[in-house]
Amino acid sequence: MIIAMDGPAASGKGTLAKQLASHYGLGHLDTGALYRAVARDMLAGGRDLDDEVAAAQTARNIDPETLEDPGLRTAAMGEAASLVAKLPQVREALVEYQRAFARRPGGAVIEGRDIGTVVCPDADVKIFVEASAQVRAKRRHKELIEAGQDIAYEEIHAQIAARDALDRSRAVSPLVPAQDAHLLDTSDLGIEAALKAAVKLIDSVIR
Ligand code: DC
């Protein structure tokens, strides 16, 4: 079984995708980490983030062992990732890796922005996870404060709005729900309630 999960930054899809993978015994791939890794390796090599040929080459050489690197999780790397994610040759270079992961025996939960529309259009279940920009900014702000960072809510809200605009408006693979995606709004749901809702939805589709 392939579960495609898409949604904007801080919608809760990452936590949900991991929990669903464990619930159904599936592999899990966070495709945002691939774009973040391209940005990291480009910056480490002193390259400009808009050098498409170098970025595509970097994308073809990503080491999957480095995708758990905590250095990928910073706000700065998220921003850098959104720049390389605009480049068509980078997306093309990463799509095969993602499809190969999806084909693994036993199935997978794959999360990102274009999984249901481009990477796995034939996924068994597609979920588009949403939450209001205010709720997402509050969640992200709480996480960062708990991690010891001193940052204002307003700044996070502005960052989330800017990232949404970039992800939704780019020419290639913009963030849009697939026509056959099920919408899951987590604005008023805690983690457990969101998991319960997602499992109910998936079970109703696959059984
Ligand atoms: O989900 P994230 O914050 O780790 O994603 C980082 C950036 O990569 C974000 O700007 C969107 C982009 N991305 C994408 O374009 N396509 C994907 N499948 C996953 C992420």
Side-chain angles (χ1 to χ4, degrees):
M1 169 164 75
I2 297 172
I3 302 177
M5 303 214 28
D6 292 300
S11 57
K13 67 178 188 308
T15 309
L16 211 45
K18 274 193 212 110
Q19 291 180 336
L20 287 171
S22 141
H23 181 87
Y24 291 103
L26 302 168
H28 167 240
L29 179 65
D30 165 13
T31 63
L34 297 172
Y35 291 93
R36 286 171 184 260
V38 173
R40 174 200 57 202
D41 295 352
M42 287 286 284
L43 292 170
R47 301 286 197 161
D48 283 339
L49 291 174
D50 58 2
D51 181 342
E52 184 163 4
V53 172
Q57 182 67 26
T58 304
R60 283 188 285 273
N61 290 315
I62 292 287
D63 176 358
E65 299 291 323
T66 67
L67 296 177
E68 299 289 331
D69 169 11
L72 293 182
R73 306 312 322 162
T74 64
M77 209 53 83
E79 205 152 305
S82 69
L83 298 179
V84 295
K86 285 196 300 193
L87 306 172
Q89 290 183 41
V90 169
R91 304 202 72 86
E92 206 180 303
L94 291 180
V95 88
E96 257 327 300
Y97 179 87
Q98 298 171 73
R99 287 187 181 145
F101 192 96
R103 284 194 296 267
R104 60 173 29 209
V109 181
I110 308 206
E111 51 155 309
R113 302 292 192 288
D114 60 340
I115 311 304
T117 49
V118 176
V119 177
C120 301
D122 298 327
D124 299 278
V125 190
K126 299 179 186 178
I127 304 183
F128 193 87
V129 187
E130 264 291 12
S132 71
Q134 286 82 352
V135 166
R136 289 185 286 125
K138 263 192 213 150
R139 286 179 187 157
R140 188 50 62 84
H141 185 237
K142 185 164 173 271
E143 267 170 31
L144 292 173
I145 294 290
E146 283 172 1
Q149 291 193 36
D150 181 19
I151 188 159
Y153 164 81
E154 288 71 22
E155 194 176 329
I156 303 291
H157 188 275
Q159 279 175 9
I160 285 209
R163 179 84 70 79
D164 280 2
L166 251 181
D167 289 346
R168 291 183 206 267
S169 68
R170 69 168 169 246
V172 213
S173 303
L175 172 68
V176 281
Q179 276 191 345
D180 51 351
H182 300 267
L183 296 186
L184 177 60
D185 190 326
T186 67
S187 300
D188 298 321
L189 302 178
I191 294 173
E192 272 183 30
L195 177 65
K196 223 171 151 185
V199 166
K200 193 171 166 196
L201 199 158
I202 293 166
D203 286 350
S204 75
V205 175
I206 63 172
R207 296 213 168 123

